[in-house]
Amino acid sequence: MTTVGTTNSQAPVTTANTPKKTSGQAGKIFLTLLTYVLAFIFFFPVLWMLMTAFKTEAQAAAIPPVFAFSPILHNFSVALQTYGPALANSLIAALGSTLLAFLLGLPAAFALAVYPTKRAQGVLSWILSTKFMPAVGVIVPLYLLFSRVHLLDTLPGLIIMYTTMNLPLVIWMMHSYMTEIPFAIFEAAKVDGAPIWWEFLGMALPLSLPGVSATALLAIIFAWNESFFALNLTTSNATPLSIFVKSFQAGESQFWAQISAAAVLTVFPVMLFGWIAQRQLVRGLSFGAVK
């Protein structure tokens, strides 16, 4: 009797859960399909650029589009003829500006996070407000200033420009990471007689390394992809990869296949860099998210 009673009491529960499980599985399948569709929509321009880079100019400009073609490498051989100097300029500008932004931004972030003054929040708000202004609003005074100090079309000028662009990002992100460090650690070090430079270099900086990695990656990517200031402040000697693509645009026609090959060569280093460092980037961006 006990077995029958147990079986009868569980049967309705099993019957009631079946529609819920079916509905839940259908929802998961729908969300999975929706994710694949959205991912394909976002990836399609990259796929189209990659396909166009291996076409002839006639196939690249054909309407309707050509999907069946024999891949060629001619466009890459043309783009590689002027690729080296632009790649070197991008590497020097991105890495140099990131290093300079950290040298200036880390002490500022440490001071604002660990020993804030009454006006620290106002200083942070002012630093962030510099990012609100559109770049086109400051290009005229910047061009005149760079022209007076002979920084137009030079790598030092490009490094200074990208440093000012990324400095608010470094200060704000590192300030957020350093405020997550318990202040009791610094108080204990102070009791032991540690100077303030040791609190910064020996304690705050090592404890913020995930944040340093994530911020450095973002600063490098932003500097690498920037094109507005590079287009207006450089002409030939210091042109980075973001302007290298435009050199294949002629007034009388568009060389879509060569432009696509140049674009592939431009985005490939930063995409490879981001793919290799994605674990460190995610770890750094999520650092301190859960206390």
Side-chain angles (χ1 to χ4, degrees):
M1 292 178 64
T2 304
T3 303
V4 173
T6 302
T7 303
N8 291 337
S9 62
Q10 291 179 348
V13 175
T14 303
T15 305
N17 285 339
T18 301
K20 292 182 179 179
K21 289 182 179 179
T22 305
S23 176
Q25 290 176 351
K28 290 180 180 178
I29 293 173
F30 174 75
L31 289 177
T32 302
L33 291 175
L34 182 62
T35 302
Y36 279 116
V37 170
L38 292 176
F40 179 76
I41 291 173
F42 279 102
F43 180 71
F44 183 76
V46 179
L47 177 63
W48 188 259
M49 177 183 69
L50 191 61
M51 293 173 59
T52 306
F54 290 96
K55 295 179 179 178
T56 63
E57 292 295 344
Q59 292 171 338
I63 299 176
V66 176
F67 291 96
F69 59 92
S70 299
I72 61 171
L73 296 176
H74 172 72
N75 302 314
F76 288 96
S77 65
V78 173
L80 284 172
Q81 293 176 5
T82 54
Y83 180 68
L87 175 64
N89 290 338
S90 284
L91 284 173
I92 294 172
L95 297 178
S97 62
T98 301
L99 179 62
L100 189 56
F102 269 88
L103 289 176
L104 298 174
L106 279 176
F110 171 75
L112 291 170
V114 181
Y115 295 105
T117 61
K118 292 182 179 178
R119 298 181 179 178
Q121 194 59 41
V123 172
L124 285 169
S125 300
W126 177 79
I127 292 172
L128 185 63
S129 68
T130 59
K131 300 294 292 182
F132 297 159
M133 180 180 291
V136 68
V138 296
I139 190 60
V140 172
L142 277 177
Y143 184 87
L144 295 176
L145 177 63
F146 274 48
S147 177
R148 292 293 181 89
V149 296
H150 304 290
L151 285 176
L152 284 178
D153 200 21
T154 63
L155 280 175
L158 205 59
I159 290 174
I160 292 173
M161 188 63 251
Y162 289 167
T163 300
T164 59
M165 184 183 71
N166 282 329
L167 191 57
L169 170 76
V170 172
I171 294 176
W172 260 95
M173 287 193 67
M174 293 313 304
H175 171 267
S176 300
Y177 289 117
M178 289 184 179
T179 51
E180 298 292 333
I181 303 173
F183 188 72
I185 296 178
F186 300 107
E187 289 181 326
K190 198 177 295 295
V191 171
D192 292 338
I196 193 169
W197 63 265
W198 174 252
E199 294 179 25
F200 172 59
L201 294 177
M203 302 177 68
L205 204 53
L207 291 173
S208 303
L209 278 182
V212 171
S213 302
T215 308
L217 289 172
L218 288 178
I220 290 173
I221 291 172
F222 288 165
W224 189 280
N225 294 335
E226 200 283 330
S227 60
F228 179 77
F229 290 118
L231 181 63
N232 288 279
L233 301 179
T234 64
T235 52
S236 57
N237 296 328
T239 50
L241 281 176
S242 55
I243 309 303
F244 162 73
V245 178
K246 186 175 172 56
S247 64
F248 294 90
Q249 181 180 8
E252 64 278 5
S253 60
Q254 303 286 347
F255 299 98
W256 293 116
Q258 293 181 14
I259 290 175
S260 298
V264 170
L265 292 174
T266 299
V267 302
F268 178 74
V270 72
M271 289 186 69
L272 179 64
F273 180 64
W275 180 74
I276 294 174
Q278 59 178 330
R279 181 174 297 178
Q280 190 68 18
L281 181 62
V282 172
R283 182 186 173 199
L285 290 175
S286 61
F287 178 78
V290 179
K291 292 185 179 179

